[in-house]
Amino acid sequence: MTLQPFPREIRIVDLAAQYRRYQLEIDAAIRDVLATAAFIQGPQVASFEQALRNHTGAAAVVSCGNGTDALQIAMMALGLKPGDEVIVPVNTYVATAEVLALLRITPVFADVDPARFLLDERRLHSYITPKTRAIVPVHLYGQCADMESILDIAARHNLFVIEDTAQALGAVYTFSDGRQQMAGTMGTLGTTSFFPTKSLGCYGDGGAIFTNNALYAEKMRMIANHGQRIKYHHELVGINSRLDTLQAAILQVKLQYLPEEIQKRNAVAAFYDSQLCTTSEIQLPARSDRSTHVFHQYTIQTKHRDALKAHLVARGIPAALYYPLLLHQQKAYRAYSSDTFPVAGHIQAHMLSLPIHPEMQEDELMFICSEIKTFLAGLRQAGSV
Ligand SMILES: *Cc1c(COP(=O)(O)O)cnc(C)c1O
């Protein structure tokens, strides 16, 4: 029997289709920037920051060149020094640890919780030493870590909290008193990325930092722009990390559609749930009862991961690992830890992210789910389940 391929390419994200949807507005926004030629710090940068303040409820938004710089600017603004320790989850994108290493701050890798793959607040105490200065919860895959407990532990130990919100912009966290806050606005500082594949993506690189502290906002604005408040007067050692006017104009158009896109991602996740919940070999992504989910990734767990991934990829379905190595396994970061991370290690061997984006069609989703079921039926027949 020859298997029929799916008639279209199945993509991890479909940025071209997304552009077509907003094309008129985005083209107009780009033409405005081109006509005025204010490519650096044009008026669209400030108006996008204002729109993002309104959207998130953060008192201040400082835009910058990308999500990695956002983390670096945050660490610099907090005055962290070489030898200080900062706790980061062991399963995150490298940027979270990279900026620490660059600044000669010591990243301390922490294990995560087995259901949601997020910093495990019950284990945090064991990583705190007299040198610890900050905790970086990463809202991985699109939902918030347990911020109430993390903020509480941080307050007791006098630590900064920097939320890495690159994957969860738009997620809402509910505190036990019913208060709701958006991802990135709960910690001392929050950072995000507008990399094209993120929930709010531009057409190049971009990033931002959120804070409710006016002094940090001022300092971060200076750091992102060569440490100057007045042109050519450099009060601080800074970097060159500004959000392009063109990207700001594009982002301002796309920000209006963020809630709708998050809804569409949730609809895709609900579809996967409904199709895969009957299969005992598949563990569905766990939802936090405190946080909404923006589904940057839809990540299942299965003990047949490698074989399932190979089957899906062979059928043209881009199933992927985020990330194939934990930080302490990365060559550049091995020296930072000799710990073992049993929970993250287990997840690492079982996780698999399925395609999820707002443009996904029901026939694509049906095809992916039926391929997963075909694969599992094959295993059952072979007696390996
Ligand atoms: C994407 C990402 C970053 C870095 O953002 P860039 O804009 O690519 O520099 C940082 N942390 C996490 C968790 C990310 O997913």
Side-chain angles (χ1 to χ4, degrees):
M1 184 180 82
T2 51
L3 295 169
Q4 285 301 312
F6 190 71
R8 305 186 303 274
E9 185 191 349
I10 298 178
R11 297 188 168 93
I12 288 201
V13 285
D14 195 344
L15 297 171
Q18 192 194 49
Y19 167 61
R20 285 193 295 276
R21 201 136 45 80
Y22 310 135
Q23 182 164 10
L24 283 178
E25 278 182 277
I26 285 178
D27 288 359
I30 290 175
R31 273 197 308 273
D32 279 351
V33 178
L34 295 180
T36 54
F39 297 119
I40 304 293
Q41 312 251 280
Q44 289 86 348
V45 176
S47 59
F48 169 62
E49 287 178 348
Q50 174 68 50
L52 200 52
R53 267 201 301 280
N54 294 344
H55 187 86
T56 59
V61 172
V62 178
S63 61
C64 63
N66 56 69
T68 308
D69 283 358
L71 285 159
Q72 181 174 339
I73 293 163
M75 302 302 166
M76 289 171 75
L78 294 173
L80 301 188
K81 298 273 175 338
D84 287 347
E85 295 179 359
V86 172
I87 299 171
V88 301
V90 73
N91 62 328
T92 176
Y93 183 57
V94 68
T96 323
E98 187 177 43
V99 301
L100 299 171
L102 265 178
L103 296 170
R104 306 207 173 283
I105 299 163
T106 308
V108 174
F109 303 140
D111 212 346
V112 293
D113 83 77
R116 296 165 310 144
F117 316 175
L118 301 171
L119 211 51
D120 189 344
E121 66 282 354
R122 292 163 307 182
R123 293 166 179 267
L124 266 181
H125 291 103
S126 65
Y127 301 103
I128 295 174
T129 76
K131 292 184 179 167
T132 309
R133 300 291 312 282
I135 304 171
V136 186
V138 178
H139 304 323
L140 199 73
Y141 299 158
Q143 63 185 337
C144 296
D146 187 354
M147 288 304 293
E148 184 153 354
S149 313
I150 292 170
L151 289 171
D152 188 52
I153 293 167
R156 269 186 279 138
H157 295 267
N158 202 16
L159 307 175
F160 299 120
V161 174
I162 302 107
E163 294 170 73
D164 181 343
T165 311
Q167 301 192 4
L169 190 64
V172 180
Y173 183 87
T174 306
F175 288 84
S176 53
D177 63 3
R179 194 163 41 92
Q180 294 196 315
Q181 271 182 268
M182 288 195 97
T185 68
M186 296 171 270
T188 323
L189 305 175
T191 67
T192 200
S193 162
F194 306 122
F195 188 80
T197 60
K198 305 287 163 99
S199 63
L200 178 62
C202 59
Y203 293 167
D205 277 311
I209 313 138
F210 304 99
T211 185
N212 298 319
N213 179 314
L215 290 176
Y216 287 137
E218 166 96 17
K219 200 168 170 195
M220 293 192 297
R221 208 170 279 291
M222 290 168 68
I223 291 171
N225 193 18
H226 299 293
Q228 60 194 347
R229 200 183 328 238
I230 300 163
K231 201 166 185 185
Y232 304 131
H233 293 258
H234 305 280
E235 295 173 48
L236 301 169
V237 175
I239 61 175
N240 174 9
S241 183
R242 296 168 300 219
L243 182 67
D244 279 7
T245 312
L246 275 169
Q247 301 303 342
I250 291 163
L251 285 164
Q252 202 168 341
V253 172
K254 289 183 66 177
L255 179 58
Q256 308 166 77
Y257 301 104
L258 179 62
E260 186 185 319
E261 298 218 326
I262 291 172
Q263 258 175 20
K264 287 184 180 165
R265 288 173 178 275
N266 272 277
V268 172
F271 188 96
Y272 277 135
D273 282 356
S274 70
Q275 290 291 311
L276 302 177
C277 64
T278 51
T279 351
S280 62
E281 295 93 343
I282 303 275
Q283 196 182 323
L284 302 179
R287 268 65 152 190
S288 161
D289 49 10
R290 287 293 190 84
S291 173
T292 63
H293 205 317
V294 306
F295 281 104
H296 177 65
Q297 298 298 346
Y298 183 93
T299 304
I300 58 170
Q301 292 189 72
T302 172
K303 65 174 192 280
H304 310 291
R305 196 274 310 280
D306 290 339
L308 175 59
K309 178 171 185 283
H311 174 86
L312 294 179
V313 170
R315 301 290 291 128
I317 299 163
L321 307 186
Y322 301 104
Y323 295 90
L325 294 177
L326 299 171
L327 287 179
H328 75 298
Q329 299 166 327
Q330 303 283 0
K331 192 171 170 199
Y333 296 89
R334 261 177 223 157
Y336 288 106
S337 181
S338 52
D339 278 4
T340 56
F341 301 91
V343 180
H346 179 87
I347 291 168
Q348 173 78 14
H350 294 79
M351 68 180 183
L352 186 63
S353 297
L354 302 178
I356 187 164
H357 59 78
E359 275 68 35
M360 285 193 89
Q361 303 297 314
E362 194 161 318
D363 59 346
E364 278 177 286
L365 291 168
M366 282 304 291
F367 177 77
I368 295 168
C369 292
S370 85
E371 284 299 328
I372 294 172
K373 289 175 188 167
T374 305
F375 166 81
L376 292 169
L379 281 188
R380 267 181 232 116
Q381 222 160 28
S384 44
V385 172

